[in-house]
Amino acid sequence: MPLPGNAVENAVGKLDGIADERMRQSGIPGLAVAVVHGGKTVYAKGFGVKDNRAGSGDTNKVGPDTVFQLASVSKPLSATVVAHQVGEKAIGWDTPVISKLPWFALSDPAVTRMVTIGDLFSHRSGLPDHAGDLLEDIGYDRRQVLERLRQLPLDPFRISYAYTNYGLTAGAEAVAAAAGKSWDQLGRDVLFGPLGMSSTSYRFADYEGRKDREVGHIRIDGGYQPEFVRDADQQAPAGGVSSSVNDMTHWLEMVLGNGSYQGRQLIDPKALLPALTTQLVSSPRSEPALRTGSYGFGFNGGTPSAARTQLSHSGAFALGAGTNGLFLPSAAVAIVALTN
């Protein structure tokens, strides 16, 4: 069902005021927002500054081309990379991970044999919440973290939901192995390049080298200061993408278009649909009147009070990022908001 007449236009007309008010209330340094509707970008704008230390001059203002770290909004982008490969018959959502990564294992040999790329992209492998993150924090690299996942106890397979950056990263590594290239190269080749997302990358070095980029800030003494730097290369498929809202509009349009972008079918709709479809319940209702939350492959799902299917993902770095993307497919509308 289409939205009521001028609903999107009316909402977009309020965004400047909403953004200004949210920034005033929160004190965050910088924000960028974009909206896609009906296959077109109808709003893309920046607010505030990239770096609180650098003043308010024009070169420090956030704009729609300013590159932000996406944190876990990287996950749905990675899911679309996988969907491309599924559509190309290079792998399947149901491909066992060890068929591509023979060295990979979990603590239960039976689960090791069965766990698929889809299981890891939907957080239903049984791995504990945020498995491996602390190992990254103390300096282990990607392969070292992934090899140590086998030391962790498992919850029941395929009926337990626990959010894991390194579980998803293991699934992505299996897809990259099948393609015979690194994950960041695969992302460039099948997603960022074809979509014209020239400021988007899985590599921290690319983010760090952008002339127009924000820096992360943390809350200190009632204000925000850029004290630390978050390099997410070790879990890049799960949290390492950097992009601008102008670039992200290309991806939003492609997802809303069932894999099509500007008249070209980039991803087979049948391969993309499972990522956008409930794979398991991630947030069971705590009382009968509440709604459940679900997870697909890299996408959160749900049905809010307006009764439209909603797809989304948020992201955050404690060292300075807060991001969100949301789709209402039935209304052909999507929004992304990136902060530092």
Side-chain angles (χ1 to χ4, degrees):
M1 178 184 297
L3 290 171
N6 299 321
V8 173
E9 291 84 352
N10 292 340
V12 165
K14 298 177 181 179
L15 278 178
D16 284 8
I18 292 171
D20 288 337
E21 179 65 12
R22 292 293 183 268
M23 292 191 68
R24 185 191 65 77
Q25 290 176 342
S26 66
I28 60 172
L31 163 70
V33 182
V35 179
V36 168
H37 179 231
K40 297 179 181 179
T41 299
V42 296
Y43 186 91
K45 194 169 182 178
F47 302 83
V49 296
K50 307 170 195 175
D51 185 340
N52 260 350
R53 299 166 299 188
S56 57
D58 286 347
T59 58
N60 194 35
K61 290 181 179 178
V62 173
D65 289 314
T66 299
V67 172
F68 287 75
Q69 291 180 291
L70 301 191
S72 284
V73 175
S74 304
K75 290 180 175 70
L77 274 85
S78 293
T80 56
V81 173
V82 179
H84 177 276
Q85 295 302 95
V86 172
E88 293 293 307
K89 313 299 183 186
I91 46 89
W93 289 111
D94 58 355
T95 297
V97 173
I98 60 168
S99 71
K100 305 302 177 184
L101 299 180
W103 52 265
F104 182 76
L106 297 175
S107 59
D108 183 332
V111 175
T112 296
R113 290 192 297 271
M114 292 187 291
V115 68
T116 66
I117 292 164
D119 292 327
L120 294 174
F121 265 77
S122 56
H123 308 297
R124 65 187 182 197
S125 66
L127 281 167
D129 186 69
H130 285 82
D133 285 9
L134 293 178
L135 293 177
E136 179 193 345
D137 290 346
I138 61 175
Y140 286 79
D141 66 23
R142 184 184 301 180
R143 176 68 180 260
Q144 291 171 329
V145 174
L146 295 181
E147 288 184 337
R148 284 159 177 79
L149 295 180
R150 69 189 64 187
Q151 300 175 7
L152 301 173
L154 297 176
D155 285 332
F157 183 48
R158 288 187 181 153
I159 60 172
S160 304
Y161 173 87
Y163 187 85
T164 61
N165 291 306
Y166 278 96
L168 187 144
T169 296
E173 283 292 280
V175 176
K181 58 184 69 175
S182 68
W183 177 259
D184 61 276
Q185 183 65 54
L186 181 62
R188 289 198 299 272
D189 290 349
V190 307
L191 190 68
F192 305 148
L195 287 176
M197 298 173 70
S198 58
S199 296
T200 304
S201 175
Y202 280 101
R203 298 177 66 248
F204 177 76
D206 291 338
Y207 158 77
E208 203 169 33
R210 306 290 186 200
K211 291 183 178 180
D212 186 0
R213 70 170 175 91
E214 54 75 48
V215 295
H217 295 67
I218 64 169
R219 188 81 168 172
I220 300 176
D221 296 331
Y224 282 95
Q225 299 299 326
E227 293 293 325
F228 301 99
V229 176
R230 178 68 165 99
D231 178 345
D233 272 354
Q234 305 309 340
Q235 54 168 270
V241 177
S242 58
S243 187
S244 67
V245 294
N246 267 348
D247 266 19
M248 288 292 286
T249 61
H250 303 187
W251 178 75
L252 297 177
E253 182 180 334
M254 184 274 294
V255 174
L256 287 173
N258 293 320
S260 176
Y261 179 68
Q262 295 186 349
R264 179 186 173 195
Q265 195 70 46
L266 297 181
I267 299 175
D268 183 344
K270 293 181 180 179
L272 179 59
L273 182 60
L276 312 179
T277 303
T278 295
Q279 298 298 328
L280 80 168
V281 172
S282 56
S283 301
R285 67 181 70 181
S286 57
E287 56 184 85
L290 298 181
R291 297 171 186 270
T292 58
S294 65
Y295 207 89
F297 296 140
F299 286 81
N300 285 298
T303 306
S305 58
R308 292 181 183 273
T309 298
Q310 174 179 295
L311 304 168
S312 67
H313 215 290
S314 60
F317 288 152
L319 301 186
T323 60
N324 208 320
L326 185 145
F327 300 83
L328 294 176
S330 65
V333 65
I335 183 169
V336 62
L338 309 177
T339 81
N340 60 353

